[in-house]
Amino acid sequence: MRKSIGSLPIQFRVLYRQFLLRVVDLEALSVQADIPRFLGQFASILIFVSLIGAFGLLSAERATATPEGYLNFTWQGEESLIAGMMLVIGLVTVISWDSTFPDRRDVMVLSPLPIRPRTVLLAKISASASLLGLAILTLNCATGIAWPLLIGAHHDSIWGFFQAFAAYWSTMIAASAFIFCSVLTVQGLCAWLLPRRIFLASSAVLQLVAFGIFLGGYFLVPSITPSTMLAAAENHAMLAWSPQFWFFALFNQLNGSLPHQLSWLALRAWIGLSSAALGTAASLSLCYFRTMNKTVEEPDLVPGSRGFHWAPSFGNSLRTSIVMFSLRSLVRSRQHRLAFVFYLAIVFSIALSWLRVESSIPAPAPLSGDFLSSTLVMMSLAVFGLRSVFSLPISLHANWMLRTTQIAPSEKYVAATRWALVLLAVFPVWLISALLSLSYRPLHSVFVHLVLLGLLGWVFVEVSLINFYKVPFTCSYLPGKVHVQVVFWCFLLLMFVFSLVAAEIELPSLGSATRSLFMILGVVVSASGFLIWNQRRAKSAVLYFEELAPDAITSLGLVWIPETTTGIGGRRSIRER
């Protein structure tokens, strides 16, 4: 393996290493950042998800007691695993949206060097494929063994295990390659057909569209049992346009368990994978050389068009500036937009799940504890997710402007950041929750819950502002300062426990006006207490713009002690203790 890697051209190896480490924007990180450790922390999150899925599969043996139960369990499990894999790969592809094409810095540095464009192209694609392979491996490291073991144990054959193992990993790789190549085909065609300025402006829209398609395909496409999949003709249209069912059929074809009625689905998987691969090769080969020229020749930013420009006012000029700066940073910056998408993916997943539930039940429905806890989880994820994104800078080179123009006290900047969190996180989630709650009754209970949800969003904002003395998007990020995987899972655990307990307390209290009033007053008092605490601390705080690791002085444990010896002349010697 090492010999084969060493036989590659040195230019390719250097570019591949640099492009792989630049999955995270280097300008957003601190000077002491450890990028491999940062990527390893997120890989550990996917490994833990795989371990949870494998434990759930092995503990569901009761569902396989009867032949019919085994068939239902295996088909639904296979479809769920493939759909989840395609969702994760789709989100990873969206996150690495611009990593396949060189930016202006790459072109300006590499153009004077004797490096062929195809070497840059191959290095970029190899780096993106490595990230894709890391996601496939970490997300299936446990389920990729547990599922073949479950199938092999049912067949009482070691050959059944190896066949299921090969079919599982081949299908996951094929499904991931289909998603990855499909996105690259669309992106390559847009880069080839559109001027660079329009392509850069439309990239944000295309990213959001792809994000919505992946989430909608996972949460809105219903699961189908074997009997309905084989018998119901009205399901054929949905099966024909759902790639997750194509690769479900491909898995069973490779495993030797595909009914002949579904062979056309497996054929669609082969056609789709081949078309995506050919489309990627054609679009990249056609647009790549032209894209590198356009990167230098055409500017990324152009003067704004003359005309009427209006921006909303949020009180004073400082508050309006920080809120609009935060909004435009999220809209224009790929790194920050995609970091926030990571949290929004969970928020919209919960919302789409409830939309699917509401579409399948008669309205109006009674308000349930599950719905109350889901809205609380959505609110907490949006607020704390946006707060974590605020720590990433939009441009470290421009921080000197903010430092020299700080004419207001620090508490004014903290207050402006509070407004940004409320308007960009609390209000959108509250609006989504209000729309989802239209089909629930009684209306007065829904109204009280929405009031409590907004007040709890205020509490989450105040908690997230504790010791946050930064201007949003202006302070560098230091990976490794905290253990991301530990904080992520602890946060999810605490939020889910809090949401469940809060829902159990809130649901029986919504029917009583007195108890509802006491709950509202209690939340208001809590939010006010955090507000007063943050305001007092902010008065003596100093804004900072660079995350640095604390200086550590390491002692070697060496002590030098002078000691008198009996040597000639009474000379002193030094020995080490």
Side-chain angles (χ1 to χ4, degrees):
M1 181 66 179
R2 182 174 298 179
K3 291 183 179 180
S4 60
I5 295 177
S7 62
L8 296 173
I10 184 63
Q11 296 177 342
F12 174 82
R13 284 181 283 161
V14 173
L15 291 175
Y16 168 77
R17 188 182 303 111
Q18 292 299 318
F19 293 152
L20 183 61
L21 293 179
R22 282 175 49 190
V23 174
V24 182
D25 187 14
L26 297 180
E27 293 185 356
L29 302 181
S30 172
V31 293
Q32 301 179 8
D34 187 356
I35 301 176
R37 181 182 178 184
F38 179 68
L39 296 177
Q41 290 175 342
F42 281 99
S44 63
I45 295 176
L46 296 180
I47 293 175
F48 193 74
V49 172
S50 181
L51 291 174
I52 294 176
F55 178 78
L57 292 175
L58 295 178
S59 61
E61 190 175 357
R62 295 180 180 178
T64 64
T66 62
E68 183 180 357
Y70 171 77
L71 188 61
N72 288 328
F73 172 76
T74 54
W75 280 34
Q76 292 178 0
E78 291 163 4
E79 188 269 333
S80 178
L81 289 172
I82 294 172
M85 184 73 249
M86 297 177 72
L87 173 64
V88 172
I89 295 302
L91 296 180
V92 170
T93 307
V94 171
I95 291 174
S96 59
W97 180 268
D98 293 333
S99 62
T100 308
F101 296 91
D103 54 19
R104 180 177 294 273
R105 177 179 54 187
D106 296 332
V107 175
M108 298 300 293
V109 172
L110 298 177
S111 294
L113 302 177
I115 300 177
R116 297 180 178 180
R118 67 168 177 264
T119 304
V120 182
L121 172 61
L122 292 176
K124 282 278 189 178
I125 294 178
S126 300
S128 301
S130 298
L131 179 64
L132 190 73
L134 178 64
I136 297 173
L137 182 62
T138 53
L139 191 61
N140 296 280
C141 61
T143 54
I145 299 176
W147 188 256
L149 280 175
L150 185 64
I151 296 179
H154 185 269
H155 290 284
D156 296 328
S157 172
I158 189 65
W159 167 249
F161 166 76
F162 286 112
Q163 186 178 15
F165 183 86
Y168 181 91
W169 284 97
S170 300
T171 302
M172 291 302 177
I173 295 174
S176 303
F178 170 76
I179 295 295
F180 181 69
C181 293
S182 298
V183 174
L184 283 186
T185 300
V186 174
Q187 187 181 9
L189 290 176
C190 292
W192 178 47
L193 297 174
L194 300 177
R196 179 168 175 78
R197 295 191 301 272
I198 299 178
F199 169 70
L200 293 176
S202 61
S203 291
V205 179
L206 292 175
Q207 282 178 294
L208 295 178
V209 170
F211 173 71
I213 291 175
F214 294 140
L215 285 179
Y218 182 79
F219 288 99
L220 296 181
V221 175
S223 299
I224 299 180
T225 60
S227 58
T228 57
M229 182 179 289
L230 295 173
E234 62 271 12
N235 295 327
H236 286 189
M238 184 186 64
L239 296 176
W241 293 99
S242 300
Q244 61 197 52
F245 293 111
W246 303 353
F247 291 95
F248 159 80
L250 177 63
F251 172 81
N252 284 274
Q253 185 185 59
L254 297 176
N255 195 39
S257 57
L258 180 68
H260 65 88
Q261 298 95 325
L262 299 180
S263 58
W264 62 278
L265 278 179
L267 180 61
R268 278 182 173 264
W270 290 113
I271 295 175
L273 181 60
S274 302
S275 302
L278 292 176
T280 299
S283 61
L284 289 180
S285 59
L286 287 174
C287 79
Y288 203 84
F289 303 103
R290 182 169 176 257
T291 300
M292 294 188 68
N293 295 331
K294 290 194 298 182
T295 302
V296 179
E297 296 171 357
E298 299 185 16
D300 294 341
L301 300 176
V302 295
S305 59
R306 296 181 179 180
F308 176 74
H309 297 279
W310 175 83
S313 176
F314 302 101
N316 54 56
S317 58
L318 177 62
R319 184 186 304 167
T320 302
S321 300
I322 290 183
V323 172
M324 294 303 298
F325 176 69
S326 302
L327 176 61
R328 288 169 178 169
S329 298
L330 289 174
V331 172
R332 296 177 179 178
S333 173
R334 178 183 64 90
Q335 291 82 9
H336 300 86
R337 184 172 62 248
L338 295 179
F340 193 34
V341 161
F342 175 77
Y343 296 94
L344 290 182
I346 307 177
V347 173
F348 282 104
S349 299
I350 298 174
L352 290 174
S353 299
W354 279 105
L355 183 63
R356 178 179 173 181
V357 170
E358 293 178 4
S359 62
S360 60
I361 60 176
L367 201 61
S368 63
D370 293 337
F371 178 77
L372 301 181
S373 60
S374 298
T375 55
L376 292 178
V377 172
M378 292 165 57
M379 182 64 73
S380 62
L381 284 171
V383 173
F384 291 105
L386 183 59
R387 157 62 180 81
S388 65
V389 176
F390 276 178
S391 300
L392 299 176
I394 186 68
S395 177
L396 288 178
H397 303 293
N399 282 356
W400 63 272
M401 299 176 60
L402 296 164
R403 300 184 188 188
T404 57
T405 57
Q406 183 183 350
I407 58 177
S410 299
E411 62 265 23
K412 299 294 184 181
Y413 288 90
V414 176
T417 305
R418 179 182 295 109
W419 273 88
L421 287 170
V422 170
L423 293 174
L424 301 181
V426 175
F427 178 72
V429 174
W430 185 90
L431 183 61
I432 293 174
S433 302
L435 295 176
L436 291 175
S437 62
L438 292 177
S439 59
Y440 290 97
R441 297 295 185 273
L443 290 178
H444 63 84
S445 298
V446 173
F447 175 77
V448 173
H449 171 66
L450 292 178
V451 172
L452 286 171
L453 183 64
L455 293 174
L456 284 173
W458 179 21
V459 173
F460 295 152
V461 167
E462 297 299 333
V463 171
S464 65
L465 288 178
I466 295 177
N467 295 330
F468 185 76
Y469 307 121
K470 311 175 186 178
V471 179
F473 305 111
T474 59
C475 185
S476 66
Y477 179 69
L478 180 63
K481 182 179 180 180
V482 295
H483 295 282
V484 175
Q485 68 275 25
V486 176
V487 173
F488 177 77
W489 290 113
C490 289
F491 168 74
L492 286 185
L493 178 62
L494 291 176
M495 285 299 100
F496 276 107
V497 171
F498 170 78
S499 62
L500 291 175
V501 173
E504 290 294 329
I505 297 175
E506 179 185 359
L507 185 60
S509 302
L510 292 177
S512 172
T514 304
R515 296 176 66 180
S516 299
L517 181 61
F518 275 112
M519 283 194 304
I520 293 175
L521 291 177
V523 178
V524 169
V525 170
S526 300
S528 301
F530 283 115
L531 174 63
I532 295 173
W533 170 267
N534 285 329
Q535 287 178 340
R536 289 184 177 180
R537 293 286 300 274
K539 289 181 179 179
S540 58
V542 177
L543 298 178
Y544 58 99
F545 298 90
E546 176 67 26
E547 286 278 7
L548 296 175
D551 296 331
I553 301 177
T554 303
S555 175
L556 299 178
L558 300 179
V559 181
W560 300 88
I561 301 176
E563 184 180 86
T564 303
T565 63
T566 58
I568 299 175
R571 294 193 306 176
R572 307 170 70 91
S573 64
I574 305 298
R575 70 181 178 88
E576 177 185 350
R577 187 177 66 180

